[in-house]
Each structure stands twice: as structure tokens, then as C-alpha cells.
Amino acid sequence: MAVVELRDRDALARFLRARPAVHAYELGDLDDFFWPHTRWLGWQPNGNVEQVALLYDEPEPPVLLAFADGTGDGMHKLLRSIVDELPPRLYAHLSPGLLPALAPEREPSSPPASHLKLGLVEPDALDLFDVADCVSLSPADLAEVERFYERAYPGTWFQPRMLETGRYVGIRRGDDLACIAGVHVWSQEWRVACLGNVATVPSARGEGLATAACARLCRVLLGDGIDVISLNVRADNTAAIRAYQKLGFAHAADYLEVMLTAPHGSERPS
């Protein structure tokens, strides 16, 4: 079956909505805010999407999202079909078992990290948390937000333009931000959001600030008409997983995150 570049957003949404918590990032990337940075490669026999891999080019390096349905054979074949079209260096989110599909053309430059995808399934649990100290953050707060992440979460993937969504929540202690919960993806049109950039300064950890900020943010998102709220978390971050479970999130899928590079001398133009 020939690989095609997919640009029909409604057809993609029908496919992705079959497992919305797993494909939440891709659903959000259908939004005009993200769409120009996306490339969708897959199979679409008879107008129905059967497999799709997303290449998102805004960060450096680009990000590949490829999540298998069923046995994973279909996605494995798709990745083998497109590996020569991928950039020499990329950060991949892959279902377990798919990494060999990209070898030897792309090799891990560090060990893969196991992650979980969680989806909000019990929104009533959000009402159990006190969110009185939470405040909304905007582009006007950018300098303060960047200083916060330098202290609380160095190296986090934070795109300043995401503050334009108005879906970042903070908690201050005195004049300084002590905690932030934000989004990596947000789309009212496609009714989806992914939490991200959740962090607390070291001196305020253990006080439940991140849980409260996430609870407030999720309430705002539900008020937007969002019906898919998802997030990614490292599988070994048991404290965060427990906190998200208290907020009403449940396991949706396992996956790996890994940096991949083309072996020296085998780079192809992207």
C-alpha cells in the first residue's frame, strides 16, 4: 500500500478519536495553531485512514509520534516505509516494540525512557481540591514564567507562544511563582487538551501545589468544552502518577520516548 501525505483533518480526527487519550496530542495538532507545523504520513485506502504517523517540526529536533493499534504490525510496516523521509535527528514517541522498525537507519542516542499516557476519566474528583490560590497566566507574564522554569524545571520543553492560549495556571508564594501547570496542546475546535510544563520550585514541593494547579486548569479546560484531557508522564515518576490518579486520571497506554539519529555517513536530506 502506498504511503500518502494526509491533509484531510476530518478524516484524521475520525481515526484519532477511536483512542482519544492515546492520540490527544495528534488531535490537538489538527488545530490551526499547530497545523502548519505538522506532516501526516499514512495509509488511506477508500478514504479511511488506517495508520498515521505525525512529524511535528516546530521544536528542534522535530518530534515523531507513532502509536500502534492492535498488534502493531501495521505501524511497524508504515515506519519502515517512511524511515528514509525522516530527518536525520528526531525525538520519537513510540509504542513499545516499534523502535526496531526505525533501525538501522535511525539509532537511539540514549536509552529509551518508558512513559505512560493518562486520560481524565473521573472529572468529579477535581472538585475535591482547593484552587483558591490559583491565578491565570498570560503572555504578559512570560519573563516571570521563564525565570520560574529556570529554577523549577531546567530543560523543560516550553514554547512561549503557548501562553497565548490563556491556559496556564500559577500559584504564587509572596511575589514569586511557586508552581505552574500548563498545556502542550489545547484546541476548542477539536475539544482536546494535553497538560504539560507542570512544575513546582524545590522549596514548595510536597505541599500539593501542582495538584491544585492541575485541578484548576482541568476545570477551566472542561469549561472550554474540552472532552479529552490527557497527559504524558514518566513511568518511574510514581509520585506524579499517584497525584494524577487522585485528580481522576487513568492509564491509557504505555509508550517510549527516545532521541534518534542517523548513523554517521548515512544522513539523508530531510
Side-chain angles (χ1 to χ4, degrees), residues 100-120:
L102 298 171
E105 291 88 347
R106 300 294 181 277
E107 297 178 347
S109 56
S110 59
S114 296
H115 284 68
L116 307 179
K117 287 184 173 290
L118 308 181
L120 183 64

Side-chain angles (χ1 to χ4, degrees), residues 193-217:
C194 297
L195 304 192
N197 293 130
V198 179
T200 305
V201 294
S203 61
R205 289 173 186 166
E207 299 179 22
L209 300 188
T211 306
C214 287
R216 173 56 184 162
L217 177 56

Side-chain angles (χ1 to χ4, degrees), residues 188-232:
Q188 283 185 287
E189 180 177 1
W190 300 98
R191 309 189 313 280
V192 63
C194 297
L195 304 192
N197 293 130
V198 179
T200 305
V201 294
S203 61
R205 289 173 186 166
E207 299 179 22
L209 300 188
T211 306
C214 287
R216 173 56 184 162
L217 177 56
C218 286
R219 290 187 196 180
V220 171
L221 296 172
L222 291 170
D224 292 337
I226 302 298
D227 60 16
V228 177
I229 301 178
S230 182
L231 60 90
N232 299 337

Side-chain angles (χ1 to χ4, degrees), residues 116 118 122 125 238-251:
L116 307 179
L118 308 181
E122 297 181 15
T238 54
I241 293 168
R242 285 196 297 268
Y244 289 128
Q245 289 171 337
K246 291 178 181 178
L247 287 164
F249 285 83
H251 176 269

Side-chain angles (χ1 to χ4, degrees), residues 125-155:
L126 301 170
D127 296 333
L128 301 176
F129 299 91
D130 182 1
V131 298
D133 291 338
C134 298
V135 296
S136 296
L137 301 173
S138 74
D141 301 301
L142 176 59
E144 184 183 12
V145 169
E146 290 183 326
R147 288 195 301 271
F148 166 84
Y149 283 124
E150 288 173 2
R151 292 178 296 144
Y153 199 172

